[in-house]
Amino acid sequence: MTTLDSGERRRTSDTRPVITDLIDEVTVESIAQEAWISLVGEDEVLVPLPGGPVADPVSSWVDVVGPWTGSVVLTTGRRTAEELTRALLREHSPEVLEDEDVADAFGEIANVVGGNVKAALPGSSGLSLPDVGEAPALRNPDDLCRVELQWRGEPLSISVQGALPPLPAVS
Amino acid sequence: MRALVIDDSRAMRRIVSGILEGLGYETQQAGHGREGLDALEGLAPDQLPDLVCVDWNMPVMDGLQFVSAVRSNPGWRSMTIMMVTSESEHTQIVRALAAGAHEYVIKPFTADAIRDKLALLGLLPQEAVL
């Protein structure tokens, strides 16, 4: 007798990794520290302490598509993102920052952090162009590696978060 | 010496251009590979840049496509191409070098890292060597 697989029941081999199987907070923080020293300034450090709630939050992120698919999201306050932009541009910073300047600079930081997170993941993956705005929704709380930091006393978080909802439980 | 800096991020273009200008380069900028090709097409052979620094992930035309396009033009063979990108996987580096890039700098980088690569390529302006 032939049994047809309707696909309704998931096989036990149908698993996909969650980010905590692939990377840890220490690695994400180390990637961010390196990016900060290089892009923001040699004396600029990220303090690994939660900075409390973010006022007027803005996020920048890149998507990683591969064996693990998700986003690397940086979130901080808009004022802090502006300060970051000035630090990044140094003497090239315009007197009045446009939203576009902030999106460009904050997006580039996400690009550099995200590119290095991608490189730390197994297998080959693609990287999107950076985006800036309201952070993508968290689809699966178990597929999240998040570090909370402070820069110049202001809160900044980095979330490496899966883009896919949890798989249904195996019956 | 002349350099063309191609990156979709204005912040990164300013940073890379600033480093190169500090070393004595005259720089020109473009926001993606197509814009970079347009800039080169308008130049006489003796005005071509000695160095092109190009990002990988960009809209319109990415860095790898740009490198391939430059390498397919025999008139542009004199230019040295350095990829400056956050793509740091070994396979990506091999692809870029196979397409015709001479060097590869991974973001984040320091000014010293760029200087060291240029020294290796023999592209440090005289004033930066002294």
Side-chain angles (χ1 to χ4, degrees):
Chain A
M1 185 180 127
T2 305
T3 307
L4 293 176
D5 181 357
S6 66
E8 283 172 12
R9 211 185 300 170
R10 207 162 55 76
R11 295 178 187 88
T12 51
S13 59
D14 287 349
T15 58
R16 63 175 187 237
V18 291
I19 195 63
T20 45
D21 297 336
L22 308 172
I23 199 167
D24 58 18
E25 286 91 348
V26 174
T27 307
V28 174
E29 189 195 319
S30 155
I31 287 169
Q33 294 285 10
E34 203 186 327
W36 241 250
I37 289 168
S38 165
L39 293 174
V40 185
E42 279 183 23
D43 301 328
E44 302 287 353
V45 286
L46 288 165
V47 179
L49 287 172
V54 175
D56 192 14
V58 61
S59 296
S60 64
W61 67 93
V62 286
D63 299 325
V64 175
V65 180
W68 176 85
T69 292
S71 308
V72 181
V73 186
L74 276 69
T75 300
T76 193
R78 198 165 294 273
R79 291 282 301 273
T80 311
E82 287 172 8
E83 251 190 89
L84 266 173
T85 303
R86 291 200 185 280
L88 198 77
L89 295 175
R90 299 186 181 103
E91 68 272 19
H92 305 291
S93 178
E95 211 157 290
V96 179
L97 280 179
E98 308 275 340
D99 285 350
E100 226 176 85
D101 295 316
V102 179
D104 178 81
F106 195 35
E108 184 61 17
I109 296 174
N111 180 44
V112 173
V113 173
N116 284 273
V117 166
K118 180 187 86 128
L121 301 177
S124 189
S125 307
L127 190 71
S128 75
L129 294 173
D131 216 336
V132 177
E134 193 180 328
L138 181 61
R139 304 289 304 279
N140 179 3
D142 293 330
D143 195 4
L144 170 70
C145 175
R146 179 181 165 91
V147 290
E148 293 202 22
L149 306 157
Q150 290 182 29
W151 178 66
R152 296 184 180 176
E154 295 297 324
L156 182 141
S157 68
I158 302 173
S159 296
V160 186
Q161 61 187 60
L164 304 172
L167 290 170
V170 179
S171 56
Chain B
M1 297 181 93
R2 296 191 188 94
L4 173 63
V5 177
I6 310 173
D7 197 306
D8 57 322
S9 162
R10 278 180 300 156
M12 193 50 71
R13 289 202 301 271
R14 285 172 183 161
I15 289 169
V16 175
S17 298
I19 292 170
L20 294 174
E21 286 163 11
L23 293 170
Y25 274 88
E26 282 175 37
T27 65
Q28 192 181 352
Q29 299 181 9
H32 50 73
R34 183 63 253 171
E35 220 174 85
L37 290 179
D38 291 345
L40 293 175
E41 278 158 6
L43 297 173
D46 63 338
Q47 292 177 320
L48 286 172
D50 305 282
L51 172 72
V52 181
C53 292
V54 60
D55 185 21
W56 188 306
N57 292 311
M58 295 181 288
V60 186
M61 179 187 276
D62 69 28
L64 199 63
Q65 292 170 316
F66 170 84
V67 173
S68 302
V70 168
R71 288 294 166 240
S72 67
N73 183 333
W76 289 347
R77 293 232 168 101
S78 64
M79 290 185 296
T80 298
I81 302 179
M82 188 157 75
M83 299 283 295
V84 182
T85 171
S86 56
E87 288 284 355
S88 52
E89 288 172 28
H90 179 72
T91 49
Q92 302 290 68
I93 297 173
V94 170
R95 280 179 73 197
L97 298 176
H102 295 87
E103 258 302 348
Y104 202 98
V105 176
I106 296 167
K107 298 176 186 174
F109 54 81
T110 60
D112 284 346
I114 300 269
R115 192 184 195 284
D116 291 347
K117 294 283 187 185
L118 293 177
L120 276 175
L121 293 164
L123 282 175
L124 265 189
Q126 200 58 37
E127 55 266 45
V129 177
L130 297 174

